Amino acid sequence: MKEFILQTENVSYAYEEGEGLALKGVCLGFRAGEMTAVLGHNGSGKSTLAKLLNGLYIPTEGKVTVCGMDTSDDAHTWDIRKNAGMVFQNPDNQLVASIVRDDVGFGLENIGVPSEEMPARIEKALNAVGMLQFIDRAPHMLSGGQKQRVAIAGILAMQPRALILDEATAMLDPKGRQEVFDIVQRLNREQGITVVWITHFMEEAARCERVIVMHEGRCVMDGTPEQVFTRAEEMRAMRLDVPPMVALGDLLRAKGLPVSREAMDVDAMAREVLKCQ
Ligand code: ADP
Ligand code: MG
């Protein structure tokens, strides 16, 4: 088994002293190279978990570590930020400079990267997200999906071990959503970056290797997409859907067609249906 890059040990979090807990005793580990989807209804604690995982929040109880470093230890603040990068929902809130190049380089000074190293790092990061040809453009001229890819490049330039994306595709059109998911999946597969992909799109979760479900501040399910999405009744009880192709598969099996439970996206389902002819 690979080492944990991000780990929460019995973590609880309260926004205000004496108020209710937004997270309750969460024990989770994310191993090197894993790509995990985090699902959960509004208010279930996904964003709170994300901000704990990169040290933006410090646990009220319990412990969070990033590459073994305790997030409550101030001595590691920059090392933690550098290793666990966050991408948020709104691309417009994340771009700070007037040229893509400067935007991607923005964080590098803070982590002490020598200025002569910066151009190569910036180009490599933009290349990895397929945005190198936009290096001299103004970020506000880009599409939503392109802006998110620039935001991701800004994190990649810091050479992180983990990426935490909090509904990074929620504000994008279907094309933008697809391009951002594909890029992140490729970074996971080709560079071994650990990914925590918070989403409310079930079809995205179906494409991750592991799915976690949050409910009322607790992690209530944790398994492969197949293991989680076959618990459709429990999902519905938590006001969550299953991916469209999983629902279709259930229907077809009920009608006697032997389609596999592993077919959770359109391509896989199409192959299963064709096999039934
Ligand atoms: P999710 O991202 O799954 O929608 P959140 O982590 O944002 O859930 O919220 C978890 C709980 O914490 C909710 O009950 C929410 O109302 C509460 N909460 C979130 N942000 C704040 C905040 N800034 N101040 C106080 N309570 C908050
Ligand atoms: Mg949220």
Side-chain angles (χ1 to χ4, degrees):
M1 284 282 225
K2 297 216 168 122
E3 81 273 23
F4 287 118
I5 300 297
L6 307 171
Q7 197 171 17
T8 73
E9 294 170 40
N10 216 3
V11 165
S12 297
Y13 187 79
Y15 278 91
E16 312 256 356
E17 225 182 294
E19 293 284 306
L21 294 172
L23 282 190
K24 299 163 192 164
V26 174
C27 297
L28 281 171
F30 301 92
R31 291 183 189 276
E34 255 187 335
M35 178 152 177
T36 307
V38 179
L39 299 174
H41 201 265
N42 278 345
S44 59
K46 305 181 298 297
S47 295
T48 307
L49 174 66
K51 288 172 186 151
L52 281 154
L53 286 176
N54 89 330
L56 273 177
Y57 295 165
I58 304 303
T60 308
E61 275 174 49
K63 182 169 143 182
V64 176
T65 55
V66 174
C67 302
M69 296 175 282
D70 188 332
T71 59
S72 68
D73 183 347
D74 290 342
H76 297 311
T77 302
W78 283 111
D79 234 6
I80 286 168
R81 294 278 158 83
K82 169 186 133 37
N83 273 297
M86 277 274 272
V87 180
F88 297 93
Q89 194 176 96
N90 189 342
D92 291 317
N93 293 347
Q94 298 176 80
L95 304 179
V96 287
S98 54
I99 297 180
V100 166
R101 176 196 304 279
D102 296 343
D103 212 286
V104 175
F106 185 74
L108 294 180
E109 222 161 305
N110 284 333
I111 61 164
V113 174
S115 49
E116 63 272 19
E117 253 183 56
M118 287 189 194
R121 283 236 206 167
I122 293 168
E123 283 168 29
K124 190 166 170 232
L126 279 169
N127 193 40
V129 299
M131 289 294 290
L132 188 53
Q133 70 270 39
F134 295 93
I135 190 164
D136 293 315
R137 300 281 185 87
H140 72 265
M141 301 297 284
L142 305 175
S143 72
Q146 290 172 330
K147 285 179 190 169
Q148 283 300 50
R149 284 152 68 193
V150 170
I152 293 167
I155 293 167
L156 284 183
M158 305 218 237
Q159 301 174 342
R161 299 292 306 275
L163 270 178
I164 302 151
L165 303 103
D166 190 358
E167 307 216 27
T169 58
M171 297 181 71
L172 307 181
D173 60 18
K175 181 171 169 285
R177 256 162 60 199
Q178 181 82 37
E179 69 191 38
V180 171
F181 185 91
D182 288 349
I183 286 288
V184 171
Q185 192 173 49
R186 215 170 77 208
L187 293 171
N188 167 258
R189 288 181 178 168
E190 292 176 6
Q191 300 191 23
I193 295 180
T194 302
V195 175
V196 179
W197 181 270
I198 298 172
T199 187
H200 62 263
F201 294 110
M202 298 297 149
E203 59 273 33
E204 291 175 354
R207 293 179 61 197
C208 294
E209 55 181 307
R210 176 182 176 198
V211 178
I212 282 169
V213 180
M214 301 292 299
H215 184 62
E216 294 178 351
R218 292 195 167 85
C219 169
V220 294
M221 291 192 204
D222 183 356
T224 63
E226 197 192 338
Q227 286 165 344
V228 167
F229 292 130
T230 46
R231 296 163 70 177
E233 280 314 307
E234 286 167 77
M235 296 287 283
R236 287 194 191 102
M238 291 183 286
R239 288 184 289 164
L240 291 171
D241 281 325
V242 295
M245 289 306 120
V246 172
L248 177 61
D250 285 344
L251 246 144
L252 293 176
R253 278 186 295 277
K255 298 265 179 211
L257 283 191
V259 295
S260 164
R261 287 190 180 278
E262 280 170 38
M264 286 188 287
D265 62 33
V266 173
D267 290 345
M269 183 54 78
R271 281 195 299 274
E272 286 296 307
V273 170
L274 286 172
K275 269 198 258 168
C276 295
Q277 278 184 329

